Amino acid sequence: MTQTQDEEMKDHPKPSHSITPTIPSTLQNLKEIASIIETGSNSKEVRRISRALRSTMALRPKLTAPVLSSFIDHVLPPASDSHSRLSSYLPNPKDDDHDMEVDTATSAAIQTPSKHLLPELEIYSYFLVLLFLIDQKRYNEAKACSSASIDRLKSLNRRTVDVIASRLYFYYSYSYELTGDLAEIRGNLFQLHRIATLRHDELGQETLLNLLLRNYLHYNLYDQAEKLRSKAPRFEAHSNQQFCRYLFYLGKIRTIQLEYTDAKESLLQAARKAPVAAQGFRIQCNKWAIIVRLLLGEIPERTIFVQKGMEKALRPYFELTNAVRIGDLELFRNVAEKYATTFSTDGTNNLIVRLRHNVIRTGLRNISISYSRISLADVAQKLRLSSADPIADAESIISKAIRDGAIDATLDHANKWMLSKETGDIYSTNEPQLAFNSRIAFCLNMHNEAVQALRFPKNTHKEKEIAEKRRERQQQEQELAKHIEEDDDDDDF
């Protein structure tokens, strides 16, 4: 009997009176974000809405159709067009009834419907549904949803909507890019950019300019992209993410236009300013920066290739850098053939073709340092020139390198020799001065950019200080008057 009682006690443990912390559900978090957006809309504080969007991205993996349906029922009137349109993109799965019960049970206290339709909450609902459709890989429906949200945005002229609108612009372009129809929306992007300019929507202008540059570069229209960039308003960098994208696109345009110095500066700056979480973007910046530095005749440091999480992605570029550093044309050709698919996917295949001349020049520089006199036949053999007349090719390559100042040597045409001059002390030249000058300029530019990026709060703190000082002064005057009255009373006695 006691054994069966013990078993029953084990099966039915005593209820615990301790309070366990409840984890808020996704629906509760979305409703809290909606209240933040509503507060920011009423007080005209754009930073509150920006903070709400940052919180939304953390909830993105948890978005489900039942949660979004409940949220839309909460923030949008049932009879509105946006409610019916967004509900059509969200099916009613029967398998998620349990989640619905949990959400509705835990958040029944805050399910009071909104009195009126806020444009910010309406656009935010479009944004959530668009994220859900893209994550579910329902790209055609995502295109329809994004197009409907853009049509609604054109009729809204509110500064508190601009932050959400900039995100919608990006995913509008991204949904069309995923289906390969990016060229269809180019005219619409130009129209949106014109509307944002007329409405003084600076964040929207920056976002749409980047999307137009991305649109052009996607189809390798570099000349049109440069014309647009040169005629567009000056980029003021109101968003760090948009500024990083702008620098990356600018670096790609400068690279194709053979302006390697400016391209290197833009790409390295984009890689430094990019958030740590944006690893894919930083990998792309580093890939292009490595190629540009190789085209400039520089050898990137080994630490670039061993950054955390980038070793595998940068492995082809590491082997390519090694081939350029050695000056081995055969090794360079093998690496280019081995990773041809990777280079084609990254869009750097044409740049790697340009590197062939740099490989030859590097090998020639190594030869000129190692030998004081060497025959042209030996030069052709060491450079592994595979042509009908390698000696003539070696002679022309050496002549061009001497003219460009790549090597300090002379060419003996009669004896078919290359005579290298003695290398002098580099510290007797202007090279150290130029190196220090570039470093000082980099530090000064970084300081200026940091000063320009500082954000100062409004003058509310000064108004608070003035009010506090006035209150203190009145209090001191009252105390002084009281002391004077007490002194007068003592004198009377």
Side-chain angles (χ1 to χ4, degrees), residues 108-122:
I110 55 174
Q111 281 195 354
T112 56
S114 302
K115 295 180 180 179
H116 60 280
L117 176 60
L118 273 179
E120 289 81 4
L121 290 178
E122 180 184 1

Side-chain angles (χ1 to χ4, degrees), residues 33 69 193 205 243 275 374 461:
I33 292 173
S69 299
H193 187 272
Q205 293 178 49
F243 188 47
I374 186 172
H461 63 288

Side-chain angles (χ1 to χ4, degrees), residues 360-371:
I360 296 174
R361 179 173 293 187
T362 304
L364 189 60
R365 189 183 300 116
N366 294 336
I367 293 172
S368 66
I369 294 173
S370 302
Y371 297 91

